[in-house]
Amino acid sequence: MQVIEEGLLSLCMIVKNEEKWLPRCLESVKGVVDEIIIVDTGSTDRTKEIAQEYGAAVHDFEWNDSFADARNYGLEQARGEWILWLDADEEVDAEGREHLRDVLSQQECFFGRIKVVNYYGTFPVSYDRSHIMNQYRLFRNDPQLRFAGAIHEQLDVEALDLPRNSVFVLPVTLHHYGYLEETVAEKGKKERNLRLLEKALEAENHDPWLDYHYASELYRSEKLAEAFERVNVSIASFLKSRRKPPSLFYKLKYSILMALGSYEGGWPGIELAIKLYPDYVDLHFYKGVILMSMQKFTEAIEAFEYCLTLDEDHPSYLTMVGTGSFLTWYYIGSCYELMENLPKAEQAYRKSLELSDTMEQAREALQKLGVSESAPEN
């Protein structure tokens, strides 16, 4: 029988062949968590030895194609009153990491939410090349609360009747490196995930979230036409059951359209998505790109300027860093350049670079205009 001890914080992880990433992850929570539960699903490298060096309790689990089963096995071993769950390719930011323990003093809350920064592209990482989202990464150790889903597993919160104020927001940032190109290639994530999702989709009346996740994997595998078809299936499934499709579905749909170059295919549908999520900066950004591609430059600038009034670090959405700042200023500059208003184009490009010195497109645009990157003298 599982014994839960008050005042303890347990870290629960599932791993396989993570010797490259695991030390960084465990070092980031050293001295913050009270126990480390590692579920190993078949490592052949030094993963288990590294975990033990950090004082972890390592439990072997025979892989059965279910991430939820592996995570739940780890939960059964945890003694902590609260549980933090991480993946090996994640790292808790040093600034504020001690606030993870703040959940231990919460009497009414059931979940702890932290900011997750998902990097894309290649090393070295940059915050300007990331998507950010607040996620529930801490929760009370309750035998009724378990993960569900063979892949892209999620906590089955419907199993508990929780009050609306059951979430505690912590000033903690988590860095996730799992979507970097070399990480995805090293782990063969695309092939594995597609295989597991295809298996799960064979079930009748499957959760439309599976269609969304399958579309996401197809998108990352650059199978864009298939991805677009599948994400529309996921949206239609929600609408058919008279449920509001999650904002993530629309973000993916218009990301795919942008990648396909099918800008006019997003009009006027993007307006309907915005009606559902009027404060989602990414959707307004896509609207601006669509209008720009249709040569409606004045309307596009209006859409982009509205982006600048919205929060790109919104607690409810997955947002691309820059859609409410440097990326938007670059596109405003592009619109003005296409309108042959070069002074305003230059001003916007400079604003983009001022907000992000990694914005190479803005730097190249200034060079194309034949002006110096440095700010002009008054």
Side-chain angles (χ1 to χ4, degrees), residues 80-101:
E81 178 186 7
W82 279 82
I83 289 174
L84 165 69
W85 69 275
L86 300 175
D87 287 327
D89 52 18
E90 296 177 330
E91 175 185 16
V92 177
D93 194 277
E95 183 177 348
R97 71 186 189 126
E98 69 279 358
H99 286 293
L100 288 171
R101 299 190 64 82

Side-chain angles (χ1 to χ4, degrees), residues 40 46-47 93 132 138 169 225 261 274 295 298 312 332 351:
D40 189 280
R46 293 193 65 252
T47 293
D93 194 277
I132 51 179
L138 298 108
V169 180
I274 287 174
Q295 299 187 18
T298 301
E312 69 177 31
I332 290 173
K351 185 64 177 178

Side-chain angles (χ1 to χ4, degrees), residues 142 272 289 291:
D142 188 313
L272 298 176
V289 174
L291 289 168

Side-chain angles (χ1 to χ4, degrees), residues 219-290:
Y219 172 58
R220 282 192 281 269
S221 299
E222 299 183 356
K223 298 178 180 180
L224 301 178
E226 295 175 61
F228 186 68
E229 180 180 349
R230 182 64 65 165
V231 74
N232 280 327
V233 168
S234 67
I235 291 172
S237 295
F238 264 84
L239 294 173
K240 185 177 180 180
S241 60
R242 299 183 181 277
R243 291 182 293 165
K244 180 180 176 180
S247 59
L248 283 170
F249 290 25
Y250 291 108
K251 175 177 172 62
L252 178 59
K253 175 177 179 175
Y254 291 100
S255 296
I256 295 169
L257 280 175
M258 300 298 103
L260 283 168
S262 180
Y263 301 107
E264 292 189 15
W267 188 262
I270 188 71
E271 294 279 39
L272 298 176
I274 287 174
K275 282 185 179 180
L276 292 176
Y277 298 101
D279 55 349
Y280 194 175
V281 65
D282 285 38
L283 294 182
H284 289 276
F285 178 78
Y286 293 146
K287 175 183 175 180
V289 174
I290 290 168

Side-chain angles (χ1 to χ4, degrees), residues 124-192:
V125 298
S126 168
Y127 184 76
D128 291 347
R129 296 195 306 275
S130 71
H131 290 83
I132 51 179
M133 187 175 190
N134 286 270
Q135 293 184 356
Y136 302 147
R137 288 304 191 98
L138 298 108
F139 57 93
R140 286 190 183 276
N141 190 354
D142 188 313
Q144 298 182 72
L145 185 59
R146 290 294 184 260
F147 286 91
I151 184 170
H152 294 297
E153 66 283 5
Q154 296 178 329
L155 285 168
D156 186 10
V157 296
E158 294 181 2
L160 298 172
D161 184 17
L162 299 174
R164 291 187 178 181
N165 63 345
S166 61
V167 179
F168 180 62
V169 180
L170 297 96
V172 179
T173 298
L174 179 66
H175 304 282
H176 178 217
Y177 308 110
Y179 291 128
L180 291 170
E181 292 175 11
E182 56 197 270
T183 307
V184 172
E186 285 174 3
K187 295 184 177 181
K189 279 187 173 182
K190 294 176 184 177
E191 297 78 9
R192 179 201 66 191

